[in-house]
């Protein structure tokens, strides 16, 4: 059975507000049948690392919050702390970062709650019947919510090919230990002939897992977060992508399954396909978009939504996959196939265009 994905292009011959388009998309997902008055509803998004400018603009969350307020629900903005060293490693810095990037009460009139506590260890274990995992470790305030509206930025990612709704409810909804679980097969290695011992990788390693003697090398403390790969200016730190990427994506799908179990499938998904950067919004900077702005899409099915967004990006890129060009050794379809196998969605979708 096909899943419905509702799509609205950023194009507007009649100068309609993009915010109005988002409202129409959300209404097609019948939120009154999912959320009820008085419920505490998590609005899960990504607040963007300080210095990054590709993340979702806070203004796009206004129609989301207005819709929930009309239902007399009680929405709150949320995200989880990161595995790597940055401005979102703990809740104090994370909330400061969110405020600087425009996600705060004064702009959106809702509380901001970091879902996994002060240091990322506030978690709840949720049982699943997975291929790789028997249970997942989710951020406690996600599990405690009555439902969740997931607002994702569609973009590239060096480990998973692309990041969308599935990544937002897996990596984005797990505690620090959960992120470790998903990254544990991504331990990199150093090509000594390319390493200049500049030390930049040391600055971004949260686990003190890199030694320089005389060239950089990865020690047993490595958690597999893969941040060092992206910050190395010489491409000296690499990974066996074929094995690790596939396993990470499968674990992501199993964490996404855990979120569906924890929230009894009370989820709606909105994806923003603008500023489609080639890498994650976790970096303190961003490259130019790989395609021009496309629009917005919404669905109750994250698998169908991610597949539709990926197809829209490929179409906009002239029929080729820009993420595959950027990360030729990564097959991004593992996350979709495994999530479909787990029963949280389908890649068979019907795209319904909304003016």
């Amino acid at each position: 059975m096909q899943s419905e994905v509702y799509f609205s292009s950023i194009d507007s011959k009649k100068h309609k507000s993009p915010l109005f388009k988002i409202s129409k998309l959300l209404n097609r997902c019948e939120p009154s049948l999912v959320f009820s008055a008085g419920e505490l509803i998590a609005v899960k998004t990504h607040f963007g690392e300080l210095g990054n400018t590709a993340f979702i603009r806070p203004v796009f969350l206004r129609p989301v919050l207005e819709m929930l307020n009309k239902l007399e629900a009680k929405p709150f903005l949320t995200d989880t702390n990161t595995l790597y060293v940055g401005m979102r490693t703990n809740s104090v810095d994370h909330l400061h970062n969110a405020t600087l990037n425009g996600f705060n009460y004064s702009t959106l009139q809702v509380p901001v709650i970091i879902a996994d506590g002060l240091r990322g260890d506030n978690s709840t274990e949720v049982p699943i019947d997975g291929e790789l995992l028997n249970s997942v470790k989710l951020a406690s305030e996600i599990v405690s919510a009555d439902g969740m509206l997931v607002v994702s930025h569609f973009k590239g990612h060096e480990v998973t090919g692309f990041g969308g709704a599935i990544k937002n409810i897996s990596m984005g909804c797990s505690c620090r230990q959960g992120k470790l679980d998903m990254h544990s097969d991504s331990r990199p290695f150093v090509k000594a002939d390319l390493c200049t011992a500049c030390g930049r990788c040391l600055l971004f390693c949260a686990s003190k897992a890199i030694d320089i003697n005389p060239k950089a090398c990865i020690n047993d403390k490595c958690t597999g977060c893969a941040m060092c790969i992206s910050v190395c200016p010489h491409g000296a730190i690499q990974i066996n992508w074929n094995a690790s990427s596939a396993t990470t994506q499968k674990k992501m799908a199993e964490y996404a399954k855990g979120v569906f179990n924890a929230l009894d499938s009370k989820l709606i998904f909105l994806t923003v396909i603008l500023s489609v950067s080639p890498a994650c919004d976790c970096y303190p900077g961003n490259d130019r978009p790989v395609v021009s702005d496309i629009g917005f899409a919404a669905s109750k099915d994250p698998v169908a939504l991610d597949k539709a967004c990926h197809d829209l990006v490929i179409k906009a890129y002239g029929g080729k996959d820009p993420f595959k060009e950027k990360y030729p050794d990564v097959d991004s379809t593992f996350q979709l196939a495994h999530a479909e196998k787990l029963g949280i969605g389908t890649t068979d979708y019907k795209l319904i265009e909304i003016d």
Side-chain angles (χ1 to χ4, degrees):
M1 183 176 178
Q2 286 185 319
S3 286
E4 294 180 336
V5 176
Y6 305 102
F7 169 68
S8 186
S9 169
I10 195 64
D11 297 334
S12 182
K13 295 179 181 179
K14 297 181 180 179
H15 305 291
K16 290 181 179 178
S17 171
L19 306 185
F20 178 67
K21 294 185 175 191
I22 291 173
S23 295
K24 292 184 73 172
L25 292 175
L26 292 174
N27 286 335
R28 293 298 295 267
C29 293
E30 301 179 300
S32 63
L33 300 181
V34 181
F35 309 127
S36 301
E39 290 186 329
L40 303 178
I41 304 301
V43 178
K44 172 64 180 73
T45 191
H46 188 303
F47 299 141
E49 189 64 36
L50 192 64
N52 189 292
T53 60
F55 60 87
I56 295 172
R57 286 181 241 165
V59 69
F60 291 136
L61 294 173
R62 283 195 170 177
V64 175
L65 300 169
E66 288 170 359
M67 178 272 291
L68 291 170
N69 287 330
K70 285 181 181 178
L71 295 176
E72 299 183 352
K74 298 180 179 180
F76 63 95
L77 292 180
T78 194
D79 198 1
T80 58
N81 291 312
T82 61
L83 194 58
Y84 63 85
V85 175
M87 275 296 289
R88 299 182 302 127
T89 308
N90 62 74
S91 290
V92 174
D93 290 337
H94 201 157
L95 287 169
H96 184 60
N97 179 88
T99 298
L100 292 174
N101 282 348
F103 299 93
N104 53 63
Y105 195 90
S106 63
T107 56
L108 295 170
Q109 289 77 58
V110 290
V112 180
I113 298 172
I114 304 304
D116 58 346
L118 186 64
R119 299 184 185 278
D121 54 5
N122 186 8
S123 67
T124 300
E125 192 160 357
V126 176
I128 62 166
D129 185 18
E131 178 184 309
L132 302 176
L133 304 169
N134 294 319
S135 64
V136 295
K137 302 173 184 68
L138 301 177
S140 290
E141 307 312 331
I142 297 292
V143 176
S144 295
D146 295 309
M148 185 160 63
L149 206 154
V150 183
V151 185
S152 308
H153 176 215
F154 199 80
K155 69 280 182 188
H157 194 277
E158 69 279 5
V159 176
T160 61
F162 66 78
I166 292 173
K167 188 171 185 296
N168 200 1
I169 61 169
S170 53
M171 288 290 181
C173 289
S174 64
C175 66
R176 176 163 283 115
Q177 184 58 52
K179 292 179 174 67
L180 284 172
D181 288 346
M182 284 179 274
H183 280 112
S184 61
D185 293 283
S186 302
R187 182 172 173 174
F189 66 91
V190 180
K191 295 194 71 172
D193 59 326
L194 296 179
C195 178
T196 64
C198 68
R200 180 170 170 79
C201 54
L202 298 177
L203 300 175
F204 289 85
C205 181
S207 306
K208 301 186 186 314
I210 302 175
D211 301 312
I212 296 184
N213 186 28
K215 299 293 185 74
C217 62
I218 311 296
N219 63 43
D220 291 338
K221 296 178 182 177
C222 177
T223 62
C225 76
M227 180 60 70
C228 57
I229 295 170
S230 293
V231 302
C232 177
H234 308 291
I237 306 180
Q238 300 179 14
I239 203 165
N240 180 4
W241 292 115
N242 287 335
S244 61
S245 175
T247 304
T248 296
Q249 290 184 62
K250 286 184 176 182
K251 287 182 178 179
M252 278 171 42
E254 297 193 4
Y255 263 78
K257 174 65 173 177
V259 171
F260 268 78
N261 288 356
L263 297 179
D264 197 25
S265 300
K266 292 182 61 173
L267 298 106
I268 290 177
F269 300 87
L270 170 71
T271 297
V272 177
I273 325 169
L274 308 176
S275 298
V276 183
S277 51
C280 186
D281 297 337
C282 291
Y283 298 118
N286 54 277
D287 202 349
R288 69 177 68 189
V290 296
V291 291
S292 299
D293 289 347
I294 294 173
F296 311 92
S299 181
K300 293 180 183 178
D301 181 339
V303 182
L305 181 59
D306 277 357
K307 180 66 165 64
C309 291
H310 194 200
D311 288 345
L312 286 165
V313 169
I314 290 172
K315 181 180 178 181
Y317 198 65
K320 297 184 293 182
D321 186 347
F323 307 131
K324 190 67 175 177
E325 284 190 3
K326 180 73 174 178
Y327 312 111
D329 296 323
V330 177
D331 183 351
S332 60
T333 63
F334 280 108
Q335 57 184 303
L336 300 177
H338 199 58
E340 188 170 31
K341 182 179 179 181
L342 292 167
I344 64 172
T346 176
T347 55
D348 185 14
Y349 68 91
K350 179 181 180 182
L351 191 69
I352 301 172
E353 295 198 36
I354 308 296
D355 185 16

